[in-house]
Amino acid sequence: MSYSVTISPFAPLYDGWEAYQESLIGALAALTPEQLDYRTAPQLRSVGENCRHMIGARGRWCIYVLGIRDAPLPDLARWDAKGTPSYTSAELAEGLRVSWRLLRDAMKSWSAEDLAVTMPNVDREPGEPEAFTRHWVIWHLIEHDLHHGGEISQILGAHGLTGINI
């Protein structure tokens, strides 16, 4: 008996995003609370704030647009809310891992047709579209991670620490 396995054409993209995330976690792993507070200018986010923002954004997009309703997401969606306490590097790494795992598992379950599904923009801001495709949301989360991960890497490098290894 033979079986055929269908491999998603998006698998290399997801694998690359996962490798980037692991590099980000590696750069954060041993940072002290003081190092998590490093920033390039007083008005810009610190390393820890950038990381919390990435986790919070993943949580919000997963819940409010993609419809992923796993238990940890409501808490993760609030990680970058004003007044949120600081997290240790280990806690930030775990937040990245959990939010990634939930997102990755959903992406792996979606076909190309599923990625084309349109989801309503339930919290629409002026100038935003009324709806998003899952594919657009995934791309947006990738570019969001790359942007803020780049900020983290730049901040670490400016302070003589090793950034994201790509």
Side-chain angles (χ1 to χ4, degrees):
M1 179 183 281
S2 69
Y3 296 94
S4 81
V5 175
T6 303
I7 298 174
S8 168
F10 304 104
L13 179 66
Y14 300 158
D15 291 346
W17 189 7
E18 186 164 25
Y20 181 82
Q21 169 169 290
E22 288 304 318
S23 293
L24 171 61
I25 290 170
L28 295 170
L31 297 181
T32 66
E34 294 77 22
Q35 291 168 328
L36 289 172
D37 285 339
Y38 287 167
R39 60 185 76 231
T40 53
Q43 74 277 14
L44 299 177
R45 288 185 182 113
S46 69
V47 170
E49 289 167 339
N50 269 301
C51 191
R52 288 184 5 232
H53 177 62
M54 292 167 69
I55 295 164
R58 287 179 185 179
R60 287 186 297 279
W61 280 101
C62 284
I63 294 169
Y64 302 121
V65 179
L66 296 176
I68 301 169
R69 302 281 186 225
D70 292 81
L73 285 170
D75 289 336
L76 293 173
R78 293 188 293 270
W79 272 41
D80 61 341
K82 289 201 184 298
T84 303
S86 297
Y87 292 92
T88 66
S89 58
E91 290 168 327
L92 292 170
E94 186 60 16
L96 287 167
R97 283 187 187 101
V98 169
S99 62
W100 170 253
R101 193 169 31 250
L102 296 170
L103 188 55
R104 181 201 61 211
D105 291 349
M107 291 185 304
K108 284 187 174 187
S109 74
W110 294 331
S111 66
E113 292 79 21
D114 293 330
L115 286 169
V117 169
T118 301
M119 312 297 283
N121 183 354
V122 296
D123 192 22
R124 189 171 177 220
E125 293 184 20
E128 285 187 348
E130 292 182 24
F132 303 101
T133 62
R134 283 182 176 148
H135 186 253
W136 185 91
V137 173
I138 297 304
W139 166 245
H140 180 65
L141 287 170
I142 292 170
E143 68 182 345
H144 190 262
D145 275 12
L146 293 172
H147 175 81
H148 293 296
E151 287 181 296
I152 290 168
S153 197
Q154 188 275 330
I155 294 167
L156 294 175
H159 287 87
L161 299 170
T162 302
I164 298 170
N165 182 15
I166 56 171

